Amino acid sequence: MLRKLLLGVFTTLALPAYALDGDILIHDPSTVTAHAGRYYTYGTGNGLPILTSDDGWTWRRTGSLMSALPDGKPGTEVLTRGGNNTWAPDVIHIGDKFFLYYSAPGIQPKSAIGLLIGRTLDPTSPDYHWEDGGPVVWSDGIEDSNAIDPGVLLAPDGRLWLTYGSYFGYIRLVELDPKTGKRRYPDRAPVNVAINSEASIPIYHDGWYYLLVTHGSCCQGANSTYNIRMGRSRKVTGPYLDNMGIDMLEGGGKLFAASRGRHIGPGHFGLLDLAPGVQKFSLHYEADLDRGGASVLDIRPLLWRDGWPIAGDNLVAGTYAIQSARTGTVLELAVQGFPVGGFRPRRPGGTGPPPEPQSGPPVADQEPGQVSAQWPATTDVRLAPAMLQAQQKWTIAPVANAGGYPGSPFFRIMVAGTERSLTAAPGGELTAVAFNGAPEQLWRIDQLTDGSYRIAPKSIAGAPAALVLSAAGSSMPTLAKVDPTSDRQRWLLESP
Amino acid sequence: MIRVAVKWRVLGVVSICLGWSESAAPAELPAARPAASSLTRPNGATQRVDERGFIHRWLVLEPVPVPGRLTEPAVKEALQLAALPETADAQRIDGGNVTVNGTALKWHAVETLNYNVNLYHFAWALSKPTSNVLFWVETAVDSPRDVTGVRLAIGSNAASRWWLNGEPVIALNDDRQSVIDDGVSKRIPLRKGRNVIRAAIINGGGATDFCARFLDENDQPIQGLTVSVHSLNESD
């Protein structure tokens, strides 16, 4: 029997099933960064190991970042201020430069955050080169801070900010010069914004600054208690308060992401702004139980509710009703439907009292075998009121070895219990035919920041631009250019 | 000898050693370290709780070395290892000496400038270990009247055990940050006159601190309490 899942706008009863594909072993990943058609992240380890992906779903290890430096290690001043470990980097693209900040701890809390400056992330490019920018901030081993775990934000006003710190005292914020990547006011004291946490990074959204940090302990596999927490402030300098009004300087922090399903210890938040209405976040889990408890990379949807970010989950396989947010009607094969449990005569009218309602035995769900004998081999697809009929129930399942996009593999969308697959037809219309694995039958399903979904074919032969599923009317679905403001292109995946 | 908590991160199947690194320890101690920046000596016989109800004045025993594991069985073992001898009551005063598990330790009266007591500051300033340790802390809270339906509310980094007037009221295990009102007791009576709080805070590595206050039946901080750390013998 097909598993039925309830996937509400903001909550799922289903647990996340996928944590990317390929070689995704990493700890303390930098914010996943898109550049020149690829995705990159860097992690803790000897020389800062590099993970690269062509699509955001399947990853591979491509050497270490420090190997591009003349000595293969941090510069002398970084080593003097901190030490010779290389941990927990973060990277940001400003203009024609990439600024990469990394932790160089010695005997903690003596540590430094070093800067590397490059013009491309692509190691195969002739322009690939990293220049040592020296230490940006450091801790002397005595003060109430440990200068590791950099997180950077380029605010909408063009100012660049760096937060850093760990369990030896304060999380601190300094302003950087967007032209050089170095401190803008090196003589000013850093601002304390939180305490006793790790992996801090500020983000901005709709008039608020948010500080994401990781609480708990790392590096013990399934015994790690890492969890991501946050506070917000109208000013980048704080105070950052949680949902209960507790300052993060006093240990406050609203939960953003905790252990779930087969993944223990989420940490090291990084924001991916992929497109209008589509935000995701990169992170690592301390332990992926499906990979022997190793620390792995993941990318998940980022939602917003009541002024706070919400950690979404990538879509899991299941059977859904695909409901238009515009019309409330659901996607179905364009075939004659039959009422669940068979036809019943309309209750007679008249002037007399209505008959007493009568209960009866349970009515079984409608399966396609009961009603599909008259369905044509190829059908159009349309929208109709939800009636729980067989042609309205869609099984969404990942397609192996077909690639994907940040956080998920491509899916096929098939009428439950059949081989009839939603297919993008030439000209931007829709049909349903047997699955053959063509790009027109591979679907990208992105959860949007409001919790609804955008559904798009991988590609359509001859189409000049990316098209997405769109409700042209109450009964007519089509494919149309992306309009992030329109409910036409927002879909809810509900229990059928 | 100074010991420094070192966190090792190893890529792949990540493992961790959060504890002592003997090889990393400097050979010589500095002669004297600066005083703890967040702590002072108490001034005056008593002190009122602050406007948020936090208790600032405590008697803190120098840290007792323990394994530093933070599971419930490990915390119980640490409490046994670091148990205060019954004969030590008379020495529970500022400057009083007590021997715990073979180690001579001293009580210190401190007053925190913040809402919390930073035990990392406390131990570091004394050139004492900050990781894999247990701290005993005590204070006396005087209430002007009997109050029922009270809750002791604490935050601790990391695991902790709390007693009020000799009765266990809060137990927190595992590695954790000090979060205001993290551990909250069941409803308990606060008696008129002296109420003695005793706690043990166990730290694995990194920062360590705690905070404590009393909440009323509406979860609001209780004001008007006075705190002292003179002669905390419960028989007094």
Side-chain angles (χ1 to χ4, degrees), chain A residues 217-438:
Chain A
S217 58
C218 77
C219 315
Q220 300 166 83
N223 196 34
S224 305
T225 58
Y226 253 18
N227 59 98
I228 302 175
R229 292 181 176 268
M230 59 189 170
R232 67 179 186 178
S233 172
R234 289 292 187 186
K235 297 194 300 182
V236 70
T237 51
Y240 287 91
L241 307 182
D242 69 10
N243 56 319
M244 298 303 291
I246 299 176
D247 196 322
M248 293 180 80
L249 277 169
E250 295 187 345
K254 174 180 167 62
L255 182 69
F256 173 76
S259 301
R260 292 189 65 197
R262 304 280 291 169
H263 300 134
I264 294 175
H268 278 261
F269 175 99
L271 176 65
L272 288 79
D273 255 321
L274 292 178
V278 184
Q279 289 186 319
K280 300 196 178 186
F281 66 99
S282 56
L283 73 160
H284 81 261
Y285 302 112
E286 289 289 324
D288 180 346
L289 300 180
D290 291 326
R291 288 178 170 90
S295 175
V296 300
L297 178 71
D298 198 9
I299 299 173
R300 290 167 54 180
L302 183 70
L303 319 181
W304 290 90
R305 182 175 61 187
D306 299 332
W308 291 95
I310 304 288
D313 288 312
N314 289 307
L315 186 64
V316 296
T319 296
Y320 301 93
I322 302 174
Q323 183 187 81
S324 165
R326 175 191 179 190
T327 67
T329 48
V330 299
L331 200 66
E332 69 168 21
L333 289 187
V335 298
Q336 176 59 53
F338 293 88
V340 178
F343 286 102
R344 289 189 182 189
R346 179 186 293 273
R347 180 171 59 81
T351 57
E356 289 294 319
Q358 293 186 335
S359 181
V363 176
D365 289 343
Q366 187 178 90
E367 302 297 337
Q370 302 171 268
V371 295
S372 63
Q374 303 302 316
W375 290 0
T378 299
T379 66
D380 285 342
V381 177
R382 67 188 178 197
L383 295 168
M387 299 291 287
L388 309 184
Q389 295 175 1
Q391 75 278 9
Q392 298 181 331
K393 293 186 278 192
W394 299 87
T395 293
I396 301 177
V399 181
N401 304 316
Y405 49 94
S408 283
F410 284 114
F411 291 92
R412 56 182 178 175
I413 303 175
M414 308 171 72
V415 173
T418 78
E419 290 296 314
R420 296 165 185 268
S421 295
L422 185 67
T423 304
E429 301 302 344
L430 294 158
T431 186
V433 298
F435 183 75
N436 59 26

Side-chain angles (χ1 to χ4, degrees), chain A residues 25-28 44-45 49 61 85 87-88 107-109 141-142 144 148-149 167-170 196 198 214-221 225-226 246 249-251 268 286 292-295, chain B residues 4-18 24-26 34 37 52 54 71 114-116 118 120-121 124 130-131 157 174-180 205-209:
Chain A
L25 300 188
I26 197 168
H27 201 258
D28 310 330
T44 284
R61 186 172 294 261
N85 294 295
W87 293 359
I107 299 174
Q108 297 179 86
I142 298 173
D144 273 342
I148 66 168
D149 288 9
Y167 289 116
F168 292 92
Y170 294 110
N196 294 344
E198 294 189 329
T214 303
H215 280 194
S217 58
C218 77
C219 315
Q220 300 166 83
T225 58
Y226 253 18
I246 299 176
L249 277 169
E250 295 187 345
H268 278 261
E286 289 289 324
S295 175
Chain B
V4 180
V6 176
K7 182 182 294 179
W8 298 95
R9 289 166 167 165
V10 181
L11 196 62
V13 178
V14 177
S15 62
I16 182 70
C17 172
L18 191 65
S37 59
R52 294 191 293 171
F54 288 111
T71 61
N114 303 321
Y115 73 101
N116 61 330
N118 191 320
Y120 185 90
H121 285 177
W124 189 89
T130 58
S131 297
N157 182 348
D174 305 322
D175 193 13
R176 59 203 310 130
Q177 272 75 264
S178 184
V179 175
I180 294 171
T208 175
D209 68 313

